Structures are given as structure tokens and as C-alpha cells.
Amino acid sequence: MTVPTLNAFINFSTGPSFAQAMILDQGLLDTNILADAASVIVDVSNQVDGLTTRRGRNAEADQFQTGTCTMRLVDQNGDFNSQNPASPYFGLLEPMRKLQITATFQNVTYPIFSGFITGYQTITPQESNDNVTYTTITAVDAMRLAQNAQISTVAGTSAGQLSGARINALLDSISWPTSMRDIDAGQTTMQADPGTARTALAACQTVSTSEYGAFYVDATGSFVFQDRAITAGSIGGTPTVFTDDGSPGLLYFDAQWVLNDVLIYNQANITRSGGAVQQDTNAASVAKYFLHSYTQTDLLMQTDAVALEYAQTYVASRAETTVRCDSIVLDLYTENYDTGVVAALDLDFFDPITITTTQPGSSSLTKTLQIFGVSMTINPNKWRVQFVTLEPILDSFILDNSLYGVLDTSSLSY
């Protein structure tokens, strides 16, 4: 059985970049970052006793959340005691230093989490017979930094700007490096930025919602903005297939299937800044499931007509529900699981997967979904990866016939 190698690095330098600092006349251009002194980067991989990471989207809030990491280190020498003058990190142990987690498998290194340390907690368990001391490090990704950054007037945010350009202007306002962005151009033109006091994260999420795209931080620590063509259309790609017996497809450890009303919305009330409420309702769905309303205000699309199409597209995508698989879990310690390990480390948000679970009575459950969350639980005896899965945010057929043309849902079947 071949399993990945976990790599954990702490970068004690300031600033958002996870690259090694470059002093003039040293380093590699386009690889390192300019700085006055080289970064102090330490490899703590051999001290890791346990690690959990969580990144993903809250389905009910329709927003990606701040990614988190909790890492427990064996700390027998008191290296992570900030008051220990003998520590090699004495004077460096501060919050908001950088943490980067990767995994190496078959000579390929995959990013798992890149973020900023929020705290160090050292304990010596009372039940320990050998007085083992552990330091638990907690970290968050850059979404927290954007949440902490207050902005008001933002340069370069005039009316008629595409959503991607607006996101870039907002990230410019908090001096986020351009090398740590992956921003689509977008397909919705924005009103002028309102210039009100709010957080940079709230401003970016308003633009993302107006586009009906996605705004998040990836595993390398970069901000990503994907427009609605990607959030809906990527379901049409070739899915990775998972089955409960591994044939055909990759074996998984567990799957959670559910049928409920959590994601039903049969009425949408969409209001752009300065506009009137645009409402769409699916009467048949209301009669079947009762009223489930979705409301967004102060969005930045330029016209009420676009706001109305947003409401129509949303309701047409969410008025019905079917059984779905909320998540699958992969056990990377499964025998002869090399292809599964690669999938577990490589798949990420919006990648399509097909899941099949055998049921009693010679029946089965099968669904093709997108990944919207990735969590890992790792310790010396376990490495499990959980993919949170959902149907596309917007139905790609409906999208093609609404925001790109005239909405016609008469041929839809759920």
C-alpha cells in the first residue's frame, strides 16, 4: 500500500505571499518575491501528529466560507513556546504567520491548504505516561484577511465594468498580489461601485452574487473568481466515476444520500441597487412544497431586466428537488488505491463526479454532481478525504436560455 507524504511548512515572514523571499542579486525571478531579507521557512512535517482541513461552500448561504486548518505537532523541546529563548523560533512566533500544507504522491506535489496562523495552543495531556507535549496550530485562509479589511471608495470601479475587472479592482484596494489571483473576465456588467463602508470580502461577494459566479480561496492561497459559465457549465465535463464496489470506477469509503427540501427555492426576489424588486414564482412548486423564498438586495447588475432574468433563472433551477449525494469519503489507506489517491488529491471545486451506491432490491442510486467542498482528516493511521457535493448552482440548460437569451423552461424535466 502506497500512501501520500504529508508536507507542512511554516513561513515566518510577513505579507500574503507563500513564496520564498528574494534579495536582489539572489533567487529566481518569477519564482521568488522581492523582500529585504529571506523568509524563515521551516519544515515541521516530521512533527505532525494530526491534521484536519476544511474548505468549501455553504449551500444554504450560497457563499464559499473561510477555509480552516488545525494541525497538532509533537513539541517535546518547547519549540513553539513563545517564551522559550532556546526555541529556534524565539521572536518569530506570532499570529498571522503563514502555513502551507501539501501532499506528495508518485513524485507529484499537490496543494492542500495555504493560510495564516491564528493561534498556538500547547498542552501536556494528563493521561500521558511519557509527558508528551503537543502544540496545536490553528489557521485560516485569505478569506479571513478580506473579511478584516475595511474599504469604502475604490479606484477604477466605474459603471459598465465586467464583474472580473471589478473583483480585480477590489483586490487592488487591499494590495493583494496579482500573482495570487485567478480571475475570470465575467459576463455581467456592474454599476459603479457604491463606495460605502464595508469589508473587502463583502464587496467581492456582492459582485460574485450579481454575476452568479463563485469567489473563494484555492488550496495554493490564491483568490479565485469564476463566472456563471464555469459554475454551471463545468458539470458538462468528463466526470470522475466513483462506485461502492470500485467496478467500474473508483472505490469510496462512504456516501451520504439525502432527499429533502433544503435547496428548494420557488420564489426569488432580486433587487439591484437603485432598482425595483424583481420577483419570479413557480406556482406549481409552491403548491407542492409550500413557499420557499430566496432574496438578494443591493446587487450591482446594471438593469432591472437582468435582475429579473436572475430571479427567473434561479427559480427555474431550484423549483424542484431530487435525491442527491451530499458527500463521499475516500480512504487513502485502501489497498491498491493509487488512482483513488490521485483523484483525492487532485479534484477540487466544480469538478464533476458521478457516484453510484448499490441499494437493496437490486436497485441503485446514481448522480452526477459537482464538488463544492474538500475536507481532509490525517493522522499516522488514517488519511480520509471528504468531498461535499451538490448539483450545479444554476442549471446549465436554463442558463443558456435565460441570461444568454430568452428564458424558456417548457422543455425541462426534473
Side-chain angles (χ1 to χ4, degrees):
M1 178 175 60
T2 305
V3 297
T5 300
L6 181 70
N7 314 301
F9 300 93
I10 298 175
N11 184 332
F12 287 109
S13 67
T14 58
S17 177
F18 293 89
Q20 174 62 279
M22 182 183 76
I23 307 170
L24 289 177
D25 299 325
Q26 301 178 32
L28 299 174
L29 288 173
D30 299 324
T31 300
N32 305 127
I33 57 169
L34 285 174
D36 296 328
S39 305
V40 179
I41 299 177
V42 296
D43 183 346
V44 296
S45 306
N46 290 336
Q47 294 177 256
V48 177
D49 179 67
L51 183 140
T52 61
T53 64
R54 184 179 299 273
R55 303 168 44 246
R57 173 177 172 268
N58 183 307
E60 295 180 59
D62 267 353
Q63 298 285 3
F64 282 88
Q65 306 296 301
T66 299
T68 62
C69 177
T70 300
M71 178 174 69
R72 190 167 87 157
L73 304 176
V74 178
D75 188 16
Q76 290 298 80
N77 299 320
D79 291 346
F80 291 91
N81 175 0
S82 62
Q83 295 185 338
N84 177 12
S87 165
Y89 317 131
F90 185 68
L92 298 174
L93 294 168
E94 301 282 354
M96 292 292 106
R97 300 294 79 95
K98 289 165 282 193
L99 175 66
Q100 192 162 41
I101 309 296
T102 63
T104 301
F105 186 70
Q106 296 179 337
N107 298 316
V108 178
T109 297
Y110 300 87
I112 293 177
F113 177 86
S114 299
F116 302 85
I117 295 171
T118 56
Y120 311 82
Q121 181 182 24
T122 300
I123 62 169
T124 302
Q126 292 183 353
E127 67 273 14
S128 173
N129 294 324
D130 53 0
N131 294 320
V132 176
T133 297
Y134 299 100
T135 292
T136 298
I137 293 176
T138 54
V140 295
D141 68 19
M143 293 282 270
R144 172 74 70 84
L145 303 188
Q147 174 63 32
N148 290 341
Q150 294 288 319
I151 62 172
S152 53
T153 303
V154 179
T157 54
S158 58
Q161 186 177 45
L162 282 171
S163 53
R166 179 63 54 83
I167 292 285
N168 274 319
L170 293 168
L171 293 177
D172 288 344
S173 74
I174 61 172
S175 301
W176 191 259
T178 56
S179 61
M180 297 178 65
R181 308 180 193 180
D182 181 6
I183 310 298
D184 285 350
Q187 302 189 38
T188 299
T189 55
M190 300 287 108
Q191 300 180 40
D193 184 79
T196 54
R198 72 275 198 211
T199 69
L201 178 59
C204 289
Q205 288 177 332
T206 296
V207 174
S208 177
T209 302
S210 301
E211 164 73 33
Y212 218 89
F215 181 73
Y216 59 89
V217 174
D218 68 14
T220 70
S222 295
F223 277 111
V224 177
F225 170 67
Q226 293 185 318
D227 65 26
R228 60 179 177 266
I230 298 297
T231 59
S234 60
I235 192 68
T238 302
T240 301
V241 177
F242 294 92
T243 58
D244 53 357
D245 60 3
S247 178
L250 300 174
L251 185 69
Y252 59 81
F253 176 78
D254 191 21
Q256 298 179 356
W257 292 87
V258 64
L259 174 61
N260 60 28
D261 73 334
V262 169
L263 299 181
I264 294 174
Y265 289 99
N266 43 40
Q267 183 185 85
N269 305 283
I270 306 299
T271 310
R272 68 184 183 94
S273 180
V277 177
Q278 303 299 307
Q279 185 181 91
D280 187 65
T281 304
N282 185 309
S285 177
V286 172
K288 187 175 181 180
Y289 301 118
F290 301 102
L291 185 64
H292 291 60
S293 295
Y294 172 81
T295 300
Q296 289 286 351
T297 60
D298 296 322
L299 298 185
L300 293 176
M301 61 277 289
Q302 287 192 288
T303 68
D304 282 346
V306 173
L308 177 60
E309 286 195 324
Y310 184 119
Q312 293 171 328
T313 303
Y314 196 90
V315 169
S317 295
R318 303 294 189 93
E320 281 292 341
T321 190
T322 63
V323 66
R324 66 180 187 274
C325 183
D326 269 0
S327 70
I328 63 168
V329 177
L330 311 183
D331 185 350
L332 274 55
Y333 277 36
T334 300
E335 294 283 351
N336 303 316
Y337 201 52
D338 288 3
T339 306
V341 171
V342 172
L345 299 177
D346 192 46
L347 292 172
D348 204 57
F349 303 153
F350 297 104
D351 286 335
I353 62 175
T354 298
I355 307 158
T356 297
T357 300
T358 303
Q359 295 289 286
S362 301
S363 64
S364 63
L365 294 167
T366 299
K367 202 79 174 184
T368 297
L369 304 158
Q370 288 175 318
I371 293 174
F372 280 94
V374 181
S375 299
M376 296 196 185
T377 302
I378 305 166
N379 61 43
N381 301 310
K382 180 171 68 175
W383 192 316
R384 288 184 181 164
V385 178
Q386 181 183 42
F387 291 135
V388 176
T389 53
L390 284 169
E391 293 180 346
I393 295 175
L394 294 177
D395 184 282
S396 57
F397 175 87
I398 299 169
L399 184 67
D400 289 342
N401 290 276
S402 61
L403 295 173
Y404 294 116
V406 177
L407 183 66
D408 178 7
T409 61
S410 60
S411 62
L412 288 177
S413 60
Y414 294 94

